[in-house]
Each structure stands twice: as C-alpha cells, then as structure tokens.
Amino acid sequence: VNHTFVDYNSEFKDNREIFPTFCPIIEIHISCQNLVNLDVGSKSDPFCVLFTKQNGKYIETERTEVILSNQDPHFVKSFKTYFMYELNQPLRFEVYDSDSHRMGLSNHDFIGYYETDVRHLATNLDQSLTFELINDKKKGERGQIIITPEQTKESIVHLQGQIQVNNLPKMKTFAKNNPFYEICKVRKGKEILIFRSNIRKKCFSCTYRKFIIPLHLLYTDGLDDTISISFYDSRKKKEPKLIGQFSSSIGYFIQTTHQHFELKNGPQKKTAGEFWFNYCQVVNIPTF
C-alpha cells in the first residue's frame, strides 16, 4: 500500500471457480471517465468491483486498487475470466468511491454499475468498449466505464528490471516532487496501463523498487511491441501531473540496459529529466 493507490485484493478472498485449462482466458482492463464527484472539497477515490453470477446471484470476485482524487482513473489491476462457449456467463462491474479502509462495500459510496457477459466481451476483443454507468436510485449522469478485453494465456515468462531517474524538473512551487512511473503497452494507438511503481517522496533523482511483470501482459506479437514509460508527480487531493514520457520496444530496452533516455513533455517536446534501467531482462518464474 502506498499513499496514492490502495489495494484491497491483498486481504480479499478469491472466490473464482477452477475452470478447465483449455478454455480461452479473457483479460479485462478497466478504466473510467467523467465519474460523478461524491466528495466535498476533493475528488472521489474510485475503485471497481467485478461480480460473477453463481447459483442465480451475483458474487463479488475481484477488486481493483483504489486511486485517490481522480475522476478518470486507469486501474492497473485487471480481471481474468474463462470463456466457456456453451455457458451464459453474466458479469457485473460496480464502481465505488472509497470512504473507508473497511472491506464491506456498504462502507463506500456507490457510483454506478454496468452489466454484460463474457460472450459479448469475447466477440469484441482488443476493442475499448465505453458504457454509461447506471445507478437505479440516483438520477443524472454517473460517468462511463471503459472495458478493454483481450485474449491471453498463463505464462511463467516475466520481464524483470529496475528503473532509475535523474534531474526531474521541479513540479511544485513550494515542495519537491513525489515521482512515480507507469508502464503502458501501446495497442492500436491506444495505451493500456500495465504497471504502476511505488512513489518516491521529495526527490528529483531516485531509484525505484524492482518490477516483475508477466510478459504476456506487455506484448501481443513479440518483443518488438512498443511500451511507453511515463513519470508523474503525485499530488495530495489532486490528480498526478505528467512530468515526461518515453516510448520504445521491449526488446530495445532489454538490449540497452544502462543507456540514458531523455523524458519529453508537452507539444514542444521539452526535456524533462532522464531515466535508465539498472537492469532489464526476461526471466522464468515457475508456478506451483
């Protein structure tokens, strides 16, 4: 847990049933936009909950992390489900404004929901599907949920590395930066968030914790696929502010460990510091 992103899943029991391994696996990436603001004096702290139907009732299956003070959240946590051709597999996505560290959903403000099924997602793979959130007890717009389904597979192959950053520009007038970075894969011109780092407090140069990312989440066709790395300044009760970003292929980053890359920002592509990989490699992490 860090100061900006709260993960409920570490204490939440996984209720997923075990399906046959020959069924296609659908990875579901979630983001939202224009969420209604339910907090006074600050923006909402949204998270998304996936429900699956069991014995005629919707059962909570997984939750994303909480993102503080953001009406347009992009969640790192994705959902997985198996596509069983012969079955009806309803899904319900509920979005909440986090108001407590307690687990029960009654402790949080309900923003809205959207219902669909696995078959609909499976027939729209690699598409970003935008739906209006519904709240049966509230009038007015609640915002939109964006669902991006992809077919994937389990793998023991991971990308492992560590990033260091240097000479970031000052983003606040009276305080130092609180920088973190995000790694996105670039698919059909759109970015899909895959990883978010820890936040480093009050610094302009720092080294982050190592990352380990399942490689299948980062590419579709191979190591030549493009990923983007974006650095942000975390701000209290405000959305993070972009510092700078850089894009290249996974394979290029692996081949150029220790090479410095200039971060760019804005229409003028101004230099906004630099970063490099202390190491970046493909490793196998066996499962049980």
Side-chain angles (χ1 to χ4, degrees):
V1 177
N2 59 43
H3 292 282
T4 304
F5 312 104
V6 183
D7 188 354
Y8 280 132
N9 290 293
S10 59
E11 297 181 3
F12 188 75
K13 183 179 180 181
D14 191 347
N15 290 318
R16 287 178 295 185
E17 296 180 2
I18 299 176
F19 289 100
T21 56
F22 59 80
C23 293
I25 302 174
I26 307 299
E27 188 107 25
I28 304 170
H29 301 278
I30 300 295
S31 60
C32 299
Q33 63 185 16
N34 303 319
L35 292 180
V36 62
N37 189 15
L38 301 182
D39 289 342
V40 178
S42 66
K43 295 184 178 181
S44 296
D45 308 322
F47 66 98
C48 182
V49 185
L50 172 66
F51 291 79
T52 57
K53 221 166 200 180
Q54 301 176 26
N55 299 322
K57 295 182 179 180
Y58 276 113
I59 304 297
E60 181 178 348
T61 304
E62 293 184 275
R63 300 185 187 188
T64 67
E65 74 275 20
V66 175
I67 299 184
L68 302 186
S69 302
N70 198 319
Q71 306 305 111
D72 304 290
H74 292 257
F75 300 104
V76 171
K77 169 67 178 176
S78 59
F79 302 134
K80 286 183 181 180
T81 185
Y82 291 89
F83 178 31
M84 304 184 73
Y85 301 94
E86 70 279 9
L87 295 182
N88 180 31
Q89 298 172 264
L91 300 174
R92 180 182 172 103
F93 299 88
E94 295 188 357
V95 180
Y96 288 82
D97 172 23
S98 178
D99 280 336
S100 170
H101 288 290
R102 296 181 179 181
M103 292 295 297
L105 292 176
S106 60
N107 296 300
H108 309 284
D109 290 334
F110 178 58
I111 295 177
Y113 73 91
Y114 184 77
E115 292 180 357
T116 183
D117 57 59
V118 177
R119 183 176 298 277
H120 180 65
L121 299 185
T123 56
N124 289 277
L125 293 176
D126 304 324
Q127 303 295 318
S128 292
L129 309 173
T130 302
F131 305 104
E132 291 291 332
L133 290 169
I134 301 167
N135 189 325
D136 297 324
K137 297 181 180 180
K138 301 287 184 179
K139 295 182 179 180
E141 296 183 355
R142 311 300 289 177
Q144 298 84 39
I145 184 170
I146 303 169
I147 303 173
T148 305
E150 298 181 306
Q151 185 171 346
T152 187
K153 59 183 179 180
E154 300 290 353
S155 174
I156 66 172
V157 183
H158 292 67
L159 185 69
Q160 184 181 72
Q162 184 181 50
I163 285 179
Q164 189 167 340
V165 68
N166 190 41
N167 293 329
L168 295 177
K170 187 177 176 63
M171 304 300 290
K172 304 183 185 77
T173 304
F174 301 109
K176 293 183 177 180
N177 296 346
N178 298 313
F180 67 94
Y181 69 87
E182 294 181 346
I183 298 177
C184 296
K185 69 176 176 182
V186 181
R187 187 74 180 274
K188 297 182 179 179
K190 295 183 179 180
E191 294 188 350
I192 299 176
L193 180 60
I194 300 299
F195 177 83
R196 182 182 289 120
S197 77
N198 59 304
I199 296 173
R200 293 300 307 268
K201 292 291 185 177
K202 300 179 180 179
C203 64
F204 303 105
S205 302
C206 61
T207 301
Y208 292 90
R209 299 172 190 160
K210 71 176 183 179
F211 62 81
I212 302 176
I213 306 172
L215 198 55
H216 72 270
L217 292 178
L218 288 173
Y219 72 70
T220 302
D221 299 320
L223 295 180
D224 290 335
D225 284 8
T226 299
I227 61 173
S228 70
I229 301 176
S230 304
F231 285 81
Y232 294 87
D233 178 35
S234 177
R235 302 182 296 168
K236 188 175 182 180
K237 295 184 178 181
K238 293 182 179 180
E239 294 183 23
K241 188 172 184 179
L242 178 66
I243 299 174
Q245 56 189 174
F246 186 88
S247 298
S248 190
S249 70
I250 304 169
Y252 184 71
F253 284 132
I254 293 174
Q255 295 170 8
T256 56
T257 300
H258 300 299
Q259 179 174 324
H260 291 211
F261 303 103
E262 286 190 348
L263 293 166
K264 301 292 185 178
N265 193 1
Q268 304 302 320
K269 300 295 182 180
K270 293 183 178 179
T271 300
E274 61 180 6
F275 79 98
W276 62 91
F277 289 88
N278 287 329
Y279 69 95
C280 185
Q281 59 192 8
V282 174
V283 298
N284 290 337
I285 301 179
T287 58
F288 289 105

